[in-house]
Amino acid sequence: MTGPQTDQRTLDTHELEDRVKRMYEEVALEPEREFHFETGRPLAERLGYPASDLDRIPAAAIDSFAGVGYFLGLADLQSGESVLDLGSGSGTDSFLAAVAVAPDGRVVGVDMTTAQLQKATRLAAEASLSNVEFVDAYIEEPPVEDGTFDCVISNGVINLSPDKAAVFAAAARALRGGGRLAIADIVSETQLPEGVTCDASLWAACIGGAMQRDGYRAAIEQAGFAIEAWRTNEEYRFVSERADNATTKYGVTSISVLARRIG
Ligand SMILES: C[S@@+](CC[C@H](N)C(=O)[O-])C[C@H]1O[C@@H](n2cnc3c(N)ncnc32)[C@H](O)[C@@H]1O
């Protein structure tokens, strides 16, 4: 992971990476376990994923779904398009994108957690989804050619990065001019205090790394995007008491955003 950007004077980014990997390894391998957040198909349906779309992709991917909002409606993917999924997890959004862009299109999912990559890769092969591949890399530095994607998607991941500016810059680089960034993520109403931002376990649970929403908007715009849609996903909620307390106190919420690369 690249260096820190937001307020994390004592956040140990190596510890954070380790915790994030351990947590999402469990999400891949033991999705039935309890986490600070919900997972699986009931969550996806509540967030607005159409059941008929979910029926078309591997059920085991959806078991490990740990997204925070629905944004594929905003992405409006077309047949033949190329899509980059930052933090693809076990592959739910990548598989849905692969179906939407059809065999002429392509999807590249990037993730740093081996168990997630292995699961997504296995499921793609089993389902004969040959237009999607999963790559072991950081979302701050996806190993893709500049200007080659029509759409960058990401669900519940950018909050986990200590360098959100690097992630938005990487998304802008990957996109062609006029390409779309369509994401769901976690932001906060007020700046989180250090007690929360320096807690690697709350980061890994998608809370500690939540950026204040105006700063988040500015970070997207500074990377060269014009924001076209921004909505709050009231349907998303955290499940543990600790997580719920932080969300209530600091207004931590899920958002879906559509932005277009200028130029
Ligand atoms: C909350 S899960 C979401 C996964 C998937 N988007 C979904 O909706 O199910 C976060 C994922 O992002 C990955 N991740 C977090 N930070 C990352 C980083 N800096 N680089 C690459 N992957 C990262 C984790 O390994 C994990 O699979």
Side-chain angles (χ1 to χ4, degrees):
M1 242 184 240
T2 52
Q5 248 261 329
T6 44
D7 180 17
Q8 58 225 259
R9 265 160 281 174
T10 54
L11 176 73
D12 179 336
T13 54
H14 294 292
E15 186 199 348
L16 172 64
E17 177 173 338
D18 195 48
R19 288 229 186 197
V20 169
K21 283 179 168 169
R22 272 191 280 139
M23 181 166 294
Y24 293 102
E25 179 182 271
E26 281 176 21
V27 170
L29 301 178
E30 301 171 79
E32 65 288 347
R33 282 189 55 167
E34 268 200 17
F35 301 96
H36 284 293
F37 45 84
E38 281 180 273
T39 52
R41 182 158 179 146
L43 167 67
E45 288 196 13
R46 206 181 63 243
L47 292 177
Y49 282 76
S52 55
D53 289 352
L54 295 173
D55 288 342
R56 300 182 69 187
I57 65 164
I62 309 169
D63 290 343
S64 295
F65 172 71
V68 300
Y70 182 63
F71 58 90
L72 288 169
L74 294 174
D76 192 24
L77 297 172
Q78 302 296 317
S79 172
E81 287 195 315
S82 51
V83 179
L84 175 64
D85 185 1
L86 296 177
S88 41
S90 287
T92 295
D93 292 307
S94 290
F95 292 138
L96 290 168
V99 170
V101 300
D104 283 351
R106 72 178 179 121
V107 179
V108 178
V110 166
D111 207 286
M112 67 177 185
T113 301
T114 307
Q116 296 270 49
L117 288 162
Q118 286 176 343
K119 182 169 182 176
T121 302
R122 174 176 57 80
L123 293 173
E126 286 171 6
S128 301
L129 280 162
S130 56
N131 63 342
V132 56
E133 62 175 310
F134 296 96
V135 178
D136 183 358
Y138 293 120
I139 58 170
E140 294 84 358
E141 305 167 331
V144 296
E145 219 178 300
D146 289 359
T148 53
F149 287 88
D150 298 295
C151 190
V152 171
I153 61 173
S154 183
N155 198 347
V157 183
I158 300 172
N159 70 87
L160 293 168
S161 172
D163 193 350
K164 294 163 182 58
V167 180
F168 292 128
R173 267 198 312 279
L175 287 168
R176 61 168 173 77
R180 293 104 69 206
L181 173 71
I183 57 176
D185 203 11
I186 300 293
V187 295
S188 64
E189 199 172 309
T190 57
Q191 176 74 43
L192 299 176
E194 270 178 50
V196 176
T197 61
C198 296
D199 183 327
S201 133
L202 279 177
W203 267 78
C206 283
I207 294 167
M211 196 171 178
Q212 197 275 335
R213 67 178 170 212
D214 297 334
Y216 193 93
R217 283 185 84 100
I220 294 175
E221 288 167 348
Q222 276 158 19
F225 290 99
I227 294 174
E228 295 189 349
W230 176 287
R231 67 163 192 246
T232 302
N233 302 314
E234 307 289 354
E235 321 77 43
Y236 188 74
R237 54 179 181 257
F238 292 92
V239 287
S240 76
E241 199 182 314
R242 184 152 182 250
D244 206 35
N245 286 346
T247 54
T248 310
K249 201 158 171 194
Y250 308 110
V252 176
T253 51
S254 161
I255 47 154
S256 290
V257 180
L258 173 68
R260 195 170 295 273
R261 201 196 115 171
I262 300 165

